[in-house]
Structures are given as C-alpha cells and as structure tokens.
Amino acid sequence: MKADFPIRTFGAKGDGGTQDTAASQAALDAAGAAGGGRVVLKDGTFLTGSIQLRSGVELHLDESARLLASPALADFPDRQGVRHVTTENLPRRRNACVIFADEAEDVAITGGGVIDGNGAHHVCARTEPDWTGWAFDRIHPMHESLPRVVFLAGCRDVRLEDVSLVNAPGGWGYWIHDCDRVAVRHLAIRTDVRYPNNDGIHVNCSRDVDIEGCDIECGDDALVIRANSRSLAHNAVCERVHARDCRVRSWASGIRVGWMNDGVIRDCSFSRIAMRDTTNGIDIVLPRQPANPDYGREATLIERIVFEDIDMDGIYAHPIDAKIAPDPATRVAAVRDLAFRRIRARGLQFPHVCGRADAPFSNFLFEDCSFRKVPDAELPGWERHGAAAWGRNLVEAFAHAEGFRFDRTTFDCR
C-alpha cells in the first residue's frame, strides 16, 4: 500500500487566503520521488496556482477539503518544457491550467472534496440591453484567460473519481488529451450555465475512456469526444470512449462528437444519459475554420458511434444537430454507421441532419425514437439560452443522407 503524504506536513495552511501552491507541489513531488503515494488534502480550503501531478501519485481531496484556484491569472502561467504537446498548436495556444499532468502514468484525482475554479473572478455580467447568448463574458481576452481546470496530456492509467468541480472560469473542466485507459467515475461538475466556454468532460485523441455516473452542469458542451491532433507529434485516433448513466445540463451541447478536421473518432457509445435544459442534445457539427485556433489537421472520419436510452427534456434547439460546412477546407472522409436507439426528446425543434454533396452522412439507424416539438411559449427565452442564439436552425431537414433507416420512430408537433 502506498504511503500518505498529508499536505499540511509540507507547510500548507488551508485557510483559504494563504498561497499553498508550493506546499502542494512539494507534496506531489515527494510522493512521486518515493515511487508513488497519496497526497491528502483535508480540513480546509487550500488556495493554489498551477500544480502538476507525478506518476504513481493520487491527489486525494477529503470531503472536508476544497482546492481553490487563485483569482490571479499570473498564478497560472504557461508551463515551459512540456513534453507531450506543442503549446502554440493547442486551442487558445496556451497550456495554462489548475492541475496538469504531462506523460504521467498511474495518476488519480479522488475523494469527496471540491475543486473550485474561482470562476466568478474571471467573468462579468453583460449589460447591453439587447444581448443574446450567454449572460456573462470573460473579463480578460480569450488568449489571456484560463483555458482549462484539469489538463491531462499523454497520460496512461488515470482515475478521476468522486470529486466535485464547481465555479469553473470560462474554460474547459477536464481535458483528457491523447491519454490511454482513463476511468472517470461519479464526478460532479457544477459550473454556471451562463458562463461561456466552460465545457464539462472533453475527451480528445484518447483511447479506452470509461465515463460512468457523472452529473454535469455547464455553459458549454458537457460530454465531448474529438480527435484534434494538431498539438501532437503524431495523429492519434479517439476510440472506445464510453459514457453511461450520466445526467447533463448544458447551454450548448449535451453531447458533442467532432469538430473541424478532427481525424478519426470511432467505436464509442453514449447510453442512459438524462439531459434537461440543454441547447442541442447531440451535436455532430463539422464547421468552417473558427477564428480561434481550435481545429485539427486531418480529414474527419466518424464511424460506429452508438447513442441509446437518452432522455432529453427542454431542448432549446435540436435534439440532434448534424451538419457539415460547405467550405472544402472542412475536410471529411466520412460520417457513417451511427445508431440512435430509444431517444426520447422534447424541445423547440426536430432533428436537423444535413451532410454535404461530396460527403453525405451514411447508414444512420433511428430505432424506437420519439421526437416531440413544442411551441416557443413552452420553452421561452431561447435567444438568451447560450448557444441557441446562433445554433438554432429553423430549417429541419434530412439532406445528403444515404442509407438512413427509421424503425418505430415518430415526429410529433402536437
């Protein structure tokens, strides 16, 4: 059994006002140097800047502990000497984060405690009378703001269990980037749906990721699988990612698959997912190149993805929104062999599924699904419901779609 390394023995105060970054890192380093161990935070609020996990180390937040991110962006600099990624090719061109792991093995974040992103210090309420979208905006420009809370790059054998993440800033909660064998169990992500860009669990270019029993509430996409290899030395597939028994609320997409020039995403599944108060339920949108640097370098291939037993209630745009930009710079090999089984959806729109003439969607199965469209008065205020302001498409169509099959599937607009 690996030894415990109580953070207070390394000088941490846990009073919520004293910087405990150095003590936290000293404990993590000592556990790593000992061949592994459990760094324990207990009985207090531990104010921290950026810290880095080491191989063999478990960061354990007791239920009496809160790891509080510093409100100062200077405490989250871009790390130098990072091994696994080319920082300038990352989304937002920054590797800054609260908790980082770089090519670490056998690492974990566990316990019933809380990671507090201190997000209220990084956003401000929008005051213009005609605003649409999200009610808050970043105080700092995107290229200066904190892009992630937990960033795992090139790691193997990872456990994320039982921790709560709250008050995230305008940045992704968990980014699992080119990792293998990741177990995600019973995480609670409680971030403000009115904040932009605070994704829940973002899995990119990773393999054998198992997500179970998570409760996610966020302003941007809740469960994401992508294959953007642009920051890596090699092109990496995203495969065998499975999410089940999760609850989701998002003012963007409950589930997102793919983005521009993402590469290969295959053999993944989402099952027994309960969504409420969400803009789009399932998003498979391959857009034009965005203004920010979040895009890949390969033709996208998405295949053999299963969505089953998904209950969607209060969808402010589309229960399924799948489309490909007409721009030939958006490179697509194929989007094929997707199964939608036992989808129950109530919202403002029907599905919108539109491939491209040179890259039609193919072989989608809709089995035992029901889509109910309700009037706007039943779900009012869509213009101020996050991504619905620009993502809602009043056109509902199945176009450039080959080999589609509908078994026991209904569309009801009563």
Side-chain angles (χ1 to χ4, degrees):
M1 183 175 179
K2 294 179 180 178
D4 280 357
F5 293 76
I7 191 173
R8 289 186 185 274
T9 65
F10 293 83
K13 301 300 183 184
D15 59 13
T18 304
Q19 270 277 1
D20 287 325
T21 309
S24 300
Q25 194 60 62
L28 292 165
D29 293 345
R38 193 174 74 147
V39 173
V40 180
L41 281 66
K42 188 174 182 178
D43 297 326
T45 297
F46 300 87
L47 184 68
T48 188
S50 186
I51 56 176
Q52 183 167 349
L53 302 180
R54 305 302 185 187
S55 290
V57 175
E58 173 184 345
L59 178 63
H60 182 80
L61 281 69
D62 181 82
E63 61 183 12
S64 64
R66 178 177 292 258
L67 185 67
L68 176 63
S70 168
L73 288 178
D75 291 329
F76 304 98
D78 276 319
R79 291 182 171 272
Q80 303 303 309
V82 172
R83 296 189 298 267
H84 200 74
V85 298
T86 301
T87 296
E88 56 266 30
N89 289 338
L90 289 172
R92 297 204 217 172
R93 298 189 175 96
R94 300 190 63 209
N95 64 50
C97 56
V98 180
I99 301 173
F100 182 56
D102 185 16
E103 296 185 353
E105 298 185 3
D106 185 23
V107 294
I109 304 172
T110 68
V114 174
I115 301 170
D116 186 333
N118 224 341
H121 285 273
H122 302 285
V123 298
C124 59
R126 297 175 64 185
T127 57
E128 64 272 31
D130 57 348
W131 68 267
T132 59
W134 286 270
F136 286 78
D137 206 350
R138 300 176 184 86
I139 293 173
H140 306 282
M142 179 182 284
H143 65 276
E144 296 177 4
S145 60
L146 186 62
R148 292 156 205 103
V149 179
V150 178
F151 180 13
L152 308 175
C155 296
R156 307 290 181 267
D157 301 307
V158 176
R159 288 185 300 122
L160 305 171
E161 296 178 348
D162 301 319
V163 174
S164 294
L165 170 61
V166 302
N167 196 17
W172 303 346
Y174 293 87
W175 194 25
I176 301 167
H177 182 29
D178 195 26
C179 295
D180 290 281
R181 300 181 298 278
V182 181
V184 182
R185 299 279 187 270
H186 309 295
L187 297 184
I189 299 174
R190 287 274 184 268
T191 60
D192 198 318
V193 294
R194 300 172 301 164
Y195 290 7
N197 207 221
N198 57 350
D199 293 28
I201 301 172
H202 194 127
V203 180
N204 186 67
C205 294
S206 295
R207 297 145 299 275
D208 300 303
V209 179
D210 197 59
I211 302 168
E212 180 180 13
C214 294
D215 193 346
I216 305 171
E217 187 170 303
C218 55
D220 211 324
D221 305 327
L223 290 166
V224 184
I225 54 173
R226 291 186 51 195
N228 176 1
S229 296
R230 203 160 68 96
S231 66
L232 302 173
H234 58 279
N235 291 339
V237 303
C238 192
E239 61 185 350
R240 299 185 301 278
V241 179
H242 304 291
R244 61 186 179 276
D245 299 311
C246 295
R247 295 197 307 166
V248 166
R249 180 189 181 205
S250 165
W251 278 20
S253 304
I255 298 169
R256 172 174 294 284
V257 179
W259 194 243
M260 183 193 179
N261 298 351
D262 255 8
V264 178
I265 304 168
R266 64 191 178 200
D267 299 319
C268 300
S269 68
F270 299 86
S271 60
R272 301 188 298 278
I273 309 293
M275 294 186 193
R276 66 179 181 88
D277 187 29
T278 294
T279 296
N280 282 322
I282 298 168
D283 240 343
I284 308 168
V285 174
L286 310 181
R288 293 181 174 88
Q289 182 171 315
N292 63 64
D294 187 9
Y295 53 87
R297 61 188 179 196
E298 304 172 73
T300 299
L301 171 61
I302 299 172
E303 62 181 354
R304 300 191 299 274
I305 313 294
V306 174
F307 307 90
E308 58 186 6
D309 297 302
I310 298 178
D311 186 77
M312 307 180 190
D313 189 45
I315 302 299
Y316 276 73
H318 301 273
I320 300 170
D321 189 23
K323 53 183 177 277
I324 302 172
D327 189 343
T330 299
R331 299 161 53 203
V332 184
V335 181
R336 63 194 180 199
D337 302 324
L338 274 59
F340 301 86
R341 299 190 180 99
R342 298 178 297 282
I343 310 295
R344 302 285 182 266
R346 181 186 75 94
L348 296 180
Q349 300 290 154
F350 286 136
H352 178 69
V353 180
C354 184
R356 202 169 64 189
D358 66 329
F361 292 136
S362 63
N363 300 329
F364 283 24
L365 168 66
F366 294 83
E367 184 176 65
D368 192 20
C369 297
S370 66
F371 300 101
R372 182 185 171 202
K373 180 178 176 179
V374 301
D376 284 15
E378 196 164 323
L379 295 171
W382 65 269
E383 299 92 341
R384 295 188 171 186
H385 194 277
W390 50 268
R392 188 179 179 193
N393 185 348
L394 296 180
V395 175
E396 298 153 336
F398 287 82
H400 300 303
E402 299 178 348
F404 276 40
R405 197 175 90 198
F406 297 86
D407 292 343
R408 301 184 304 282
T409 293
T410 61
F411 298 82
D412 181 6
C413 56
R414 289 179 295 175

